[in-house]
């Protein structure tokens, strides 16, 4: 038999104590027991809403009834007061209704003025440019306060103000705020585009595009500028701005800048700007605009060159004018007998300048002039030559050089005396214009009354006498010279050029003064008749009167002729009768 | 207490009279008809308030009874569960005692057959007894824990029952009375307002 094994029966069989506690929920929600008073209050609260409305209606109806009664009473009283005014019991000025009507009218005027002024202020002061609503509200409030201060309202009762002024001012203020908002939004919308255009224009205009004129630098600058414009375009697109307007702004700004700087290369930037799905410069409208702008730029550059050429010519002309003036003065000194040598040096200097400026022919003309001025000329005054030279110099717009040539020729030919040459030079200098031209005298310039008077006088002087004898030419030339001298003296004495009427008047005076001296009386009578005939032919009224007189004379002559004819016939009839009585009777009519 | 149905019928009679007279015109007749409808509405509202109060109180009583029954049953079952646990613990202790006694006897017999005696055998038997004591103590600790938890569960059952009972409140007499009075009084105000309005129109 095997031996029993003795061991601890609880070995590894004793359990540990497992936890048994568990959380429990013993929460009890608080309970508010319903109170009869709370229920009563709740019911009363609901009832009070109906009661308020019902009792309010009672009050409202009572007020309406009282108001209607008051209105009726007011109207009755108004009628009674009106009757009293009509009957003279109460003066119009004392009628409370008229007085109130006057005040109401005043308040209406003030209210309308307030609304108008406030609206005008919005436009005139351009308040809509301020985007702050509080500023607009403050302005309207300040405007009201100033309006109240400016217009004394102390004579009005508060109820009158509340009834007739305040509603209108409040409406005007509300309309002002609304109008301000609308205008501000509209203004801001426009300003967005304007500002964008100005920004692009200003940046493009100030951008130093051609730094260093290095092709690489120019290309780099162009890239920078196009990138910047592209960023502005993209930003505008993101912000929801109208693409068409933005594109137009961009095109206009670049075109304007290009035309201002006369730089057509700037227009090529339009081909770098990406808008939408294509390049900005690729549309037909933009290409047309670019083409037109390029033409304008080319035209402007051409005009600039022409203007520069004109300026250069004007500068050269001015220099030549200076040279000629110096030569003229030098010649005048030489003519005056200045032998100091200074005049000759000045002349030589001016001639050298002329040659230096490429005007050799002009220099030759003035050299001849100076040399001739040193000659003595004629010893006896020749009126014919002087009159002819006078007319050549002062008739048309001739230049100083041409005048110098005329004088040179006259001196060298001995046509005029040295004194006459000096006199002519003095007159030329006096009548010299800034452009080197000599101003013509009115009596020599055709197409005015003074010149006609001068011509008539010369014709009168040169007319044949009643016997058909011609007038001595020397006399005519002397008359010319006298006329020319008198007129020129008068003309030179004036500080400002005379009017045409004054010219004519002076020419008439000179003509009358010289007529007695140079014109034969018979010639004058014939001339007067001729002038009268011309005057009649030119005046329709005189011509008509002359025709009427002539017709009357013809009629009278015809009447006399008829009388003569009738007398002759009568005499013949008498003769025939006497002859017939002696032979056979006259046949009678059945 | 005013009888709502009587008032409503009275308003209907007034409306009918007003319509029969016909002096105020069709607008007045329509207004009086609307007033009659308001009167009927007020009467039915008052009756509804009384009926609603009665039904509310009945529901509250049923809810309270149900909550109490549920609490009783849960507590009872909890007590039964802990009693069963006690029996189980008692049986486990008894089984351990028997197992220890058997082991001791086997050890003593084996030692005697082998001629072994002395301190070593006594120590072996003491070891068996200590092990049994430890096992019995562990069983007691577990039982105590479960008893404590059961007591707490019963407290939770009580709270649950109270919450359920309190979830429905009975309608008091005064509240019922006011709920009846409110529509009738409101109709009275409407009647007065409408009468005044018609009177003002006739004036």
């Amino acid at each position: 038999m095997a031996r029993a094994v003795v061991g601890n029966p609880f070995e590894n069989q004793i359990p540990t104590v497992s936890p048994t506690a568990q959380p429990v929920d013993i929460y009890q929600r608080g309970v508010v027991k319903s109170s009869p008073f709370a229920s009563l209050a709740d019911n009363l609260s609901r009832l009070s809403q109906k009661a308020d409305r019902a009792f309010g209606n009672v009050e409202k109806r009572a007020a309406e009834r009282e108001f209607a009664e008051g209105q009726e009473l007011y109207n009755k009283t108004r009628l009674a007061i009106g009757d009293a005014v009509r009957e003279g019991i109460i003066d119009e000025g004392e009628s409370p209704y008229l007085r109130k009507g006057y005040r109401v009218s005043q308040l209406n005027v003030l209210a309308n003025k307030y609304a108008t002024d406030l609206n005008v202020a919005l436009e005139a002061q351009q308040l809509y440019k301020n985007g702050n609503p509080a500023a607009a509200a403050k302005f309207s409030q300040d405007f009201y306060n100033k309006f109240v201060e400016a217009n004394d309202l102390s004579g009005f009762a508060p109820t009158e103000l509340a009834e007739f002024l305040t509603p209108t001012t409040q409406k005007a203020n509300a309309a002002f705020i609304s109008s301000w908002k609308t205008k501000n939004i509209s203004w801001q919308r426009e300003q967005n585009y304007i500002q964008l255009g100005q920004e692009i224009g200003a940046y493009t205009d100030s951008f130093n595009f051609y730094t260093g004129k290095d092709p690489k630098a120019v290309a780099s600058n162009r890239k920078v500028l196009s990138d910047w414009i592209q960023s502005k375009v993209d930003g505008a697109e993101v912000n929801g701005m109208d693409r068409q307007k933005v594109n137009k702004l961009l095109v206009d700004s670049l075109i304007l800048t290009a035309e201002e700087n006369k730089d057509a290369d700037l227009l090529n930037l339009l081909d770098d700007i990406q808008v939408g799905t294509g390049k900005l410069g690729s549309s037909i409208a933009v290409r047309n605009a670019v083409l037109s702008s390029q033409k304008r730029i080319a035209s402007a550059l051409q005009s600039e060159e022409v203007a520069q050429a004109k300026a250069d010519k004007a500068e050269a002309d001015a220099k030549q004018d200076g040279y000629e003036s110096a030569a003229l003065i030098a010649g005048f000194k030489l003519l005056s007998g200045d032998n100091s040598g200074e005049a000759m040096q000045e002349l030589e200097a001016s001639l050298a300048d002329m040659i230096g400026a490429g005007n050799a022919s002009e220099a030759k003309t003035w050299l001849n002039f100076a040399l001739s001025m040193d000659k003595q000329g004629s010893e006896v005054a020749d009126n014919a030559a002087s009159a002819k030279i006078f007319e050549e110099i002062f008739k048309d717009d001739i230049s100083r050089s041409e005048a110098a040539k005329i004088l040179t020729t006259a001196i060298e030919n001995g046509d005029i005396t040295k004194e006459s040459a000096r006199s002519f030079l003095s007159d030329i200098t006096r009548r010299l214009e800034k452009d080197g031209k000599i101003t013509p005298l009115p009596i020599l310039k055709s197409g005015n009354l003074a010149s006609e008077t001068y011509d008539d006088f010369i014709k009168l002087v040169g007319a044949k006498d009643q016997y058909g004898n011609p007038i001595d030419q020397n006399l005519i030339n002397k008359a010319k010279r006298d006329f020319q001298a008198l007129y020129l003296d008068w003309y030179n004495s004036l500080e400002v050029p005379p009017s045409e009427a004054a010219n004519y008047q002076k020419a008439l005076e000179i003509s009358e003064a010289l007529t007695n001296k140079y014109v034969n009386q018979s010639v004058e009578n014939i001339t007067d008749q001729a002038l009268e005939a011309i005057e009649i032919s030119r005046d329709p009224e005189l011509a008509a009167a002359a025709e009427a007189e002539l017709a009357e004379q013809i009629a009278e002559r015809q009447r006399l002729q008829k009388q003569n004819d009738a007398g002759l016939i009568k005499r013949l009839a008498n003769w025939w009768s006497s002859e017939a009585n002696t032979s056979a009777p006259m046949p009678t009519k059945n | 207490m005013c009888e709502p149905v009587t008032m409503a019928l009275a308003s209907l009679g007034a409306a009918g009279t007003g319509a029969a007279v016909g002096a105020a015109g069709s607008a007045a007749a329509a207004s009086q008809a609307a007033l009659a409808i308001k009167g009927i509405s007020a009467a039915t509202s008052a009756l509804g308030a009384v009926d609603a109060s009665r039904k509310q109180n009945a529901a509250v009583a049923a809810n309270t009874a149900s909550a109490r029954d549920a609490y009783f049953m849960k507590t009872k079952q909890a007590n039964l569960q802990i009693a069963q646990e006690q029996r189980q613990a008692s049986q486990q202790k008894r089984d351990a005692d028997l197992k220890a006694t058997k082991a001791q006897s086997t050890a003593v017999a084996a030692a005697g057959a082998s001629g072994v005696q002395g301190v070593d055998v006594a120590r072996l038997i003491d070891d068996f007894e200590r092990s049994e004591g430890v096992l019995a103590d562990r069983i007691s600790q577990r039982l105590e824990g479960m008893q404590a938890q059961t007591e707490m569960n019963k407290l939770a059952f009580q709270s649950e029952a109270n919450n359920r009972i309190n979830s429905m409140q009975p309608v008091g007499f005064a509240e019922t009375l006011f709920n009846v009075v409110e529509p009738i009084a409101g109709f009275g105000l409407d009647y007065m307002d409408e009468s005044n309005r018609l009177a003002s129109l006739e004036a």
Side-chain angles (χ1 to χ4, degrees):
Chain A
M1 179 177 175
R3 195 175 55 183
V5 176
V6 178
N8 193 336
F10 300 104
E11 185 74 26
N12 298 325
Q13 291 186 13
I14 299 174
T16 56
V17 178
S18 60
T20 55
Q22 291 180 346
V24 295
D25 185 8
I26 59 168
Y27 166 74
Q28 291 188 37
R29 186 171 56 195
V31 177
V32 178
K33 301 293 183 183
S34 61
S35 166
F37 295 107
S39 178
L40 175 61
D42 189 35
N43 284 314
L44 287 177
S45 174
R46 289 198 290 271
L47 271 179
S48 69
Q49 296 176 5
K50 281 192 172 186
D52 287 346
R53 190 186 64 198
F55 292 125
N57 286 337
V58 170
E59 290 179 2
K60 183 181 172 186
R61 290 189 190 102
E64 288 175 350
R65 186 169 59 251
E66 289 176 2
F67 182 77
E69 291 172 358
Q71 282 286 101
E72 187 179 4
L73 183 62
Y74 176 86
N75 290 330
K76 284 181 179 176
T77 310
R78 186 174 183 181
L79 289 173
I81 293 289
D83 291 339
V85 169
R86 273 189 292 277
E87 293 170 5
I89 301 172
I90 298 176
D91 188 80
E92 279 189 41
E94 291 179 337
S95 169
Y97 294 93
L98 291 175
R99 293 166 75 91
K100 181 173 183 179
Y102 167 73
R103 290 199 301 277
V104 169
S105 175
Q106 275 188 314
L107 287 176
N108 287 335
V109 170
L110 286 173
N112 285 330
K113 184 173 184 297
Y114 177 84
T116 305
D117 290 353
L118 188 58
N119 195 33
V120 167
L122 175 66
E123 293 289 345
Q125 301 184 25
Q126 298 185 336
L127 299 170
Y128 49 83
K129 291 185 176 179
N130 188 339
N132 185 5
K138 184 176 183 305
F139 177 82
S140 64
Q141 184 60 43
D142 292 345
F143 189 86
Y144 178 79
N145 295 336
K146 289 178 182 175
F147 186 82
V148 170
E149 287 178 7
N151 301 279
D152 185 17
L153 302 178
S154 60
F156 301 101
T159 54
E160 290 175 331
L161 293 176
E163 186 176 2
F164 299 107
L165 180 65
T166 307
T168 305
T169 56
Q170 288 177 344
K171 284 181 184 175
N173 285 345
F176 170 79
I177 296 296
S178 175
S179 179
W180 165 83
K181 186 177 180 183
T182 304
K183 286 182 179 294
N184 177 258
I185 291 173
S186 174
W187 175 82
Q188 188 62 56
R189 182 173 59 243
E190 296 301 324
Q191 286 301 308
N192 291 337
Y193 292 99
I194 293 173
Q195 188 58 37
L196 178 62
Q198 288 180 345
E199 186 181 8
I200 292 173
Y203 191 81
T204 309
D205 191 37
S206 62
F207 195 83
N208 192 1
F209 199 65
Y210 297 105
T211 305
K213 297 189 176 181
D214 177 12
K216 289 183 179 179
V218 170
S220 175
N221 288 338
R222 174 175 166 163
K223 181 71 169 54
V224 169
L225 185 56
S226 64
D227 286 348
W228 182 83
I229 294 175
Q230 184 70 56
S231 70
K232 301 305 291 183
V233 171
D234 293 343
E237 180 80 15
V238 170
N239 291 332
M241 295 178 76
D242 189 335
R243 184 187 294 171
Q244 298 294 330
K245 285 187 177 179
V246 171
N247 291 350
K248 186 173 186 310
L249 273 177
L250 190 56
V251 172
D252 290 348
S253 297
L254 279 176
I255 285 178
L256 185 62
T257 304
E259 292 190 7
E260 282 179 350
N261 296 324
K262 298 180 182 63
D263 182 5
D265 288 342
L266 267 178
L267 299 173
N268 295 330
L269 280 175
L270 292 170
D271 295 331
D272 298 342
I273 310 300
Q274 179 83 23
V275 288
T277 57
K279 299 291 185 183
L280 181 58
S282 61
S283 74
I284 294 176
V286 175
R287 283 159 60 192
N288 276 334
V290 168
L291 191 60
S292 300
S293 178
Q294 286 172 338
K295 288 179 180 175
R296 285 194 294 273
I297 290 172
S299 175
L301 289 174
Q302 190 175 2
S303 299
E304 213 172 49
E305 291 174 359
V306 171
Q308 185 60 42
K310 286 182 178 177
D312 292 344
K313 185 176 184 308
E315 187 178 0
D317 290 346
K319 286 182 179 176
Q320 178 65 21
D321 183 63
Y323 304 151
E324 291 183 3
S325 295
L328 184 66
I329 293 171
F332 192 75
K333 288 180 178 176
L334 290 172
L335 188 60
S336 302
D338 184 353
N339 296 321
S340 62
E342 184 181 349
M344 187 55 72
Q345 289 176 359
E346 291 174 359
L347 178 65
E348 290 174 353
S350 62
L351 294 180
D353 290 336
M354 283 186 207
I355 293 170
N359 293 324
S361 61
E362 293 291 329
K364 184 179 178 183
T365 298
W366 286 99
L367 177 62
N368 291 335
F369 168 73
L371 293 175
S372 64
M373 289 304 104
D374 200 25
K375 295 180 178 176
Q376 289 300 319
S378 172
E379 293 181 355
V380 180
D382 185 346
N383 289 327
S386 296
K388 183 172 178 294
I389 291 170
F390 186 88
E391 290 179 352
E392 286 177 350
I393 292 176
F394 296 114
K395 187 171 185 178
D396 297 318
D397 290 332
I398 65 170
S399 67
R400 182 169 34 200
S401 298
E402 290 168 332
K405 284 181 181 176
I406 292 170
L407 283 182
T408 301
T409 305
I411 289 287
E412 287 179 350
N413 294 341
D415 294 336
I416 57 175
T417 63
K418 199 166 187 174
E419 186 61 32
S420 297
R422 189 181 297 114
S423 174
F424 279 124
L425 265 181
S426 174
D427 293 335
I428 288 170
T429 308
R430 193 191 298 271
R431 301 195 55 73
L432 207 54
E433 293 293 331
K434 291 181 179 177
D435 58 355
K437 299 281 188 181
I438 297 168
T439 308
L441 285 171
I443 59 167
L444 299 179
K445 194 172 184 180
S446 61
N448 64 80
L449 292 173
S451 66
E452 287 182 6
T453 304
Y454 174 73
D455 292 340
D456 289 343
F457 171 74
I458 301 303
K459 287 177 183 174
L460 189 62
V461 172
K464 295 178 180 178
D465 62 11
Q466 57 186 343
Y467 305 109
N469 299 320
I471 304 302
D472 182 24
Q473 191 61 37
N474 287 332
L475 185 66
I476 297 172
N477 290 332
K478 190 168 189 317
K480 277 186 181 180
R481 285 300 297 151
D482 282 355
F483 198 109
Q484 292 168 355
L486 289 172
Y487 180 81
L488 193 60
D489 287 344
W490 169 77
Y491 198 94
N492 289 337
S493 67
L494 302 176
E495 293 184 357
V496 293
S499 65
E500 185 174 345
N503 273 319
Y504 178 48
Q505 183 64 32
K506 189 62 186 175
L508 281 177
E509 289 177 5
I510 297 173
S511 175
E512 287 177 3
L514 297 180
T515 296
N516 293 330
K517 181 176 179 182
Y518 292 105
V519 179
N520 189 302
Q521 189 59 43
S522 64
V523 173
E524 188 176 13
N525 291 338
I526 295 170
T527 305
D528 286 343
Q529 289 174 4
L531 289 175
E532 187 178 355
I534 293 170
E535 186 180 10
I536 289 171
S537 68
R538 289 181 178 177
D539 191 338
E541 292 182 0
L542 292 175
E547 284 183 5
E549 187 180 358
L550 182 61
E552 191 176 339
Q553 290 175 358
I554 292 171
E556 180 66 17
R557 195 175 299 123
Q558 288 175 345
R559 188 181 61 78
L560 293 174
Q561 186 64 35
K562 283 182 180 178
Q563 285 181 351
N564 293 336
D565 293 345
L568 180 60
I569 292 171
K570 190 176 180 181
R571 283 196 299 273
L572 285 172
N574 291 336
W575 174 78
W576 179 264
S577 299
S578 61
E579 289 295 324
N581 288 335
T582 56
S583 57
M586 290 287 286
T588 55
K589 194 175 182 179
N590 295 326
Chain B
M1 185 174 107
C2 239
E3 177 54 55
V5 177
T6 307
M7 287 188 67
L9 291 176
S11 65
L12 271 177
T17 305
V21 171
S26 59
S31 175
Q32 287 183 344
L35 198 60
I37 293 171
K38 284 184 180 177
I40 294 172
S41 175
T44 53
S45 295
L47 289 174
V50 172
D51 189 46
S53 297
R54 187 175 56 79
K55 289 181 179 177
Q56 172 73 12
N57 287 340
V60 168
N63 179 64
T64 304
S66 179
R68 283 175 179 168
D69 289 348
Y71 169 66
F72 174 73
M73 291 305 293
K74 282 190 173 183
T75 307
K76 182 184 172 187
Q77 287 303 106
N79 288 336
L80 181 59
Q81 183 183 12
I82 202 64
Q84 290 170 349
E85 290 288 343
Q86 285 174 346
R87 272 197 300 275
Q88 183 187 15
S90 171
Q91 290 170 0
Q92 288 173 343
K93 286 180 181 178
R94 181 61 182 168
D95 290 345
D97 189 31
L98 289 176
K99 191 186 288 184
T101 304
K102 183 182 178 183
Q104 287 174 353
S105 299
T106 304
V108 169
S114 303
V116 178
Q117 290 182 348
V119 179
D120 293 337
V121 175
R123 286 178 179 172
L124 182 63
I125 291 173
D126 289 343
D127 185 37
F128 293 167
E129 288 178 350
R130 279 195 299 272
S131 298
E132 182 193 352
V134 169
L135 178 61
D137 183 61
R138 296 278 173 88
I139 293 170
S140 296
Q141 286 183 30
R142 176 174 170 273
L143 184 60
E144 288 171 2
M146 294 186 70
Q147 285 175 334
Q149 180 64 34
T150 301
E151 290 303 316
M152 293 305 294
N153 284 344
K154 287 192 284 188
L155 191 59
F157 297 154
Q158 188 179 5
S159 299
E160 183 186 32
N162 285 334
N163 278 335
R164 287 175 172 174
I165 292 169
N166 290 333
S167 65
M168 295 183 70
Q169 291 291 317
V171 181
F173 172 74
E175 191 176 354
T176 306
L177 177 63
F178 297 144
N179 287 340
V180 171
V181 168
E182 182 193 345
I184 296 173
F187 169 69
L189 288 170
D190 288 341
Y191 184 77
M192 180 197 73
D193 187 29
E194 189 62 22
S195 299
N196 287 336
R197 193 180 71 82
L198 293 175
S200 68
L201 290 176
E202 290 174 358

